Amino acid sequence: MTRGSGEEGPRGRDLLGRLDVELGRIDEQLRALAAAKGRIQGLLDAVVAITREMELPAVLHRIVTTAMDLVGARYGALGVLADSGDHLAQFIVAGMTEEERTALAGVDFPSGLGVLGYLIHHPEPLRVDDISSHPASTGFPPGHPPMHTLLGVAISVRGEIYGDLYLSERTDGQPFDVHDERILVALASAAGIAIDNVRLFEQVRAGSEQFQRLLLPTLPDLRPYEAAATYRPAAEPSPLGGDWYDAFLLPDGAVAVVIGDVVGHDLHAAAAMSSTRNMLRALLFDLRTPPSAVLAHLDHTLQAITDNPIATASLARIEPAGGAWRLHWSSAGHVPPLLITPDQRARYLFAEPGLPLNVDSGQHRPDHTHPLPPDATVVFFTDGLVEHPGRSLDEGLDELVELATAHAALPLPDFVRTLADHCPGDGHDDIAILALRTPQRTIASVMNQV
């Protein structure tokens, strides 16, 4: 018994030792699997973050910062190749402190010499533990922060090299390893797709904007009145929208002014806007009735022969009244016009708005009138000019009054552009603005001049 126990003792200890080793190996494998899972999840999160960007500069900067986060790099950059493919035309940098940027003030961005140029001409993944010892190294310019390690990969778009992604200096002080290289290669592949997508989106957006602008009229000569208009597409989700404006002289000598907004941001909304605008033009030339009656006729027509979505609109006539003019308008659920008097004071002409178009054509819409002195400006606009998710509509309207008052002395084309450029809205809805200014003289003076 004693001898048997002695023999089993060493054997048991040996077995326990092998078991400890095996458990240690399994623990290392589990840790490696957990780390790999974390890297893969980080890569997936990075791809999602990159593809959310809709503007090319934002996509390029996001690629750099995401790569830095994935491998724990202090510095990152993305060099975009020129059309010739032999040098860098753009260089996006991240990770530098303000002091480091100041030290490089006046230094041109790299054009693709040295180790960076090596990657341009040899677009395989490049891992360097000591930049200064690389055969292609040419050193850094004065003021450049010290860098020793480099990890670079090429980014391809549709089979062509678009640029190179560079990382330098891991924050833990270690050189880049094969795992860093693999994760960066995977990110570069996703980055190429994201760049291609955003470039295609920009092409579609540019074509859509051109299509939208072709649907809107060029304002005719409205003398003795001045008029100016502008349109701005929505930033997202689509540059196509349903906002429109129109103005023209009527056979009876009045000026018709229209501003409208069809619900939606797509091709259907743009087409509905165009058909509604054309119908309204035809009705205005055919009917000699108040604006409310014209809107009622339009409403019946839309419901009878179209499947157009709901739309808001404001229809106005600027017509002679005594020695000056008056604004005669009716609204189909639209925001009120803004009146700016000759002393550059602004206020809204609040009145019963009526129902939007394509809601209930049997409901009556009232007409409204307001006198317009010489040199008065009336601004018609769509709600994208004042809507912002971070503030109430009243706050947006108040801010527009301040903006209009501050710039009321500008020539009318500059005035409407300024309103669009600095509007209270957040840019997520399209904007249409039309401003009309009465002559500086009375009607009698205008007629005598004619």
Side-chain angles (χ1 to χ4, degrees):
M1 293 293 293
T2 303
R3 192 176 68 175
S5 300
E7 290 176 350
E8 290 176 3
R11 195 176 301 151
R13 287 193 295 272
D14 184 54
L15 180 62
L16 288 173
R18 289 200 302 271
L19 182 60
D20 286 341
V21 171
E22 186 65 21
L23 288 174
R25 188 179 65 81
I26 293 173
D27 183 62
E28 289 179 3
Q29 290 178 338
L30 289 174
R31 289 176 183 275
L33 286 172
K37 181 181 178 182
R39 282 176 175 264
I40 292 172
Q41 185 60 52
L43 177 62
L44 293 175
D45 293 342
V47 171
V48 170
I50 291 171
T51 55
R52 281 178 180 159
E53 302 291 351
M54 302 303 292
E55 302 289 340
L56 186 58
V59 168
L60 299 181
H61 188 266
R62 174 77 75 165
I63 290 169
V64 178
T65 56
T66 300
M68 294 166 59
D69 291 340
L70 280 176
V71 303
R74 179 178 174 184
Y75 301 106
L78 194 158
V80 180
L81 292 181
D83 292 338
S84 62
D86 60 357
H87 67 280
L88 300 177
Q90 188 178 359
F91 202 69
I92 297 96
V93 179
M96 286 193 178
T97 64
E98 284 301 319
E99 292 79 6
E100 289 170 336
R101 289 180 181 274
T102 301
L104 286 172
V107 177
D108 293 334
F109 70 79
S111 59
L113 301 176
V115 180
L116 303 189
Y118 181 86
L119 186 58
I120 291 175
H121 299 290
H122 303 83
E124 296 84 21
L126 177 66
R127 237 180 328 128
V128 179
D129 292 346
D130 184 4
I131 295 174
S132 63
S133 65
H134 192 277
S137 177
T138 58
F140 295 103
H144 196 284
M147 294 183 183
H148 303 93
T149 60
L150 177 74
L151 175 60
V153 299
I155 296 176
S156 297
V157 176
R158 293 182 175 267
E160 299 289 334
I161 302 298
Y162 176 83
D164 296 305
L165 180 59
Y166 310 100
L167 297 179
S168 183
E169 303 303 289
R170 268 181 36 170
T171 54
D172 61 4
Q174 297 298 310
F176 295 107
D177 57 31
V178 66
H179 300 295
D180 298 328
E181 180 181 316
R182 288 172 181 168
I183 205 77
L184 199 63
V185 169
L187 179 67
S189 178
I193 296 173
I195 292 169
D196 189 35
N197 286 343
V198 77
R199 292 199 306 181
L200 289 173
F201 175 78
E202 288 181 347
Q203 292 174 10
V204 171
R205 180 184 180 87
S208 299
E209 285 188 29
Q210 179 67 15
F211 172 74
Q212 178 83 23
R213 294 184 189 282
L214 288 173
L215 294 178
L216 295 170
T218 299
L219 293 183
D221 185 354
L222 298 175
R223 285 182 289 182
Y225 308 97
E226 291 182 66
T230 190
Y231 172 81
R232 298 291 171 87
E236 57 184 40
S238 169
L240 286 175
D243 288 16
W244 89 93
Y245 59 80
D246 206 354
F248 46 90
L249 289 168
L250 294 172
D252 63 359
V255 173
V257 177
V258 182
I259 195 82
D261 182 359
V262 175
V263 171
H265 291 90
D266 52 23
L267 188 60
H268 182 56
M273 172 271 286
S274 180
S275 64
T276 302
R277 181 179 72 85
N278 292 336
M279 287 181 194
L280 186 52
R281 266 204 168 199
L283 290 172
L284 284 166
F285 273 102
D286 184 60
L287 299 176
R288 301 291 185 270
T289 56
S292 62
V294 178
L295 286 177
H297 202 136
L298 174 65
D299 208 357
H300 284 292
T301 304
L302 289 172
Q303 293 195 359
I305 65 174
T306 77
D307 61 350
N308 288 359
I310 293 172
T312 67
S314 186
L315 169 61
R317 288 168 52 93
I318 288 84
E319 51 197 18
W325 296 266
R326 72 172 180 176
L327 179 69
H328 183 184
W329 82 100
S330 185
S331 174
H334 203 76
V335 289
L338 177 66
L339 173 63
I340 306 172
T341 53
D343 58 1
Q344 297 182 8
R345 294 186 180 183
R347 67 184 182 91
Y348 293 102
L349 300 180
F350 288 105
E352 170 58 45
L355 286 178
L357 301 169
N358 263 343
V359 174
D360 183 356
S361 60
Q363 289 291 326
H364 173 72
R365 295 184 185 87
D367 284 283
H368 316 284
T369 61
H370 193 281
L372 297 178
D375 201 26
T377 302
V378 187
V379 183
F380 302 87
F381 59 94
T382 54
D383 55 12
L385 190 67
V386 293
E387 283 189 335
H388 193 292
R391 62 175 69 97
S392 68
L393 180 60
D394 286 341
E395 289 174 317
L397 290 170
D398 290 343
E399 189 173 334
L400 179 60
V401 166
E402 294 178 5
L403 181 66
T405 301
H407 300 281
L410 289 174
L412 216 52
D414 296 334
F415 175 69
V416 296
R417 281 194 295 268
T418 299
L419 294 186
D421 289 341
H422 305 286
C423 70
D426 66 344
H428 284 72
D429 195 3
D430 47 339
I431 295 170
I433 308 172
L434 192 154
L436 187 139
R437 186 169 289 164
T438 57
Q440 294 183 359
R441 303 182 303 277
T442 63
I443 289 180
S445 299
V446 171
M447 296 305 295
N448 289 336
Q449 186 71 26
V450 175

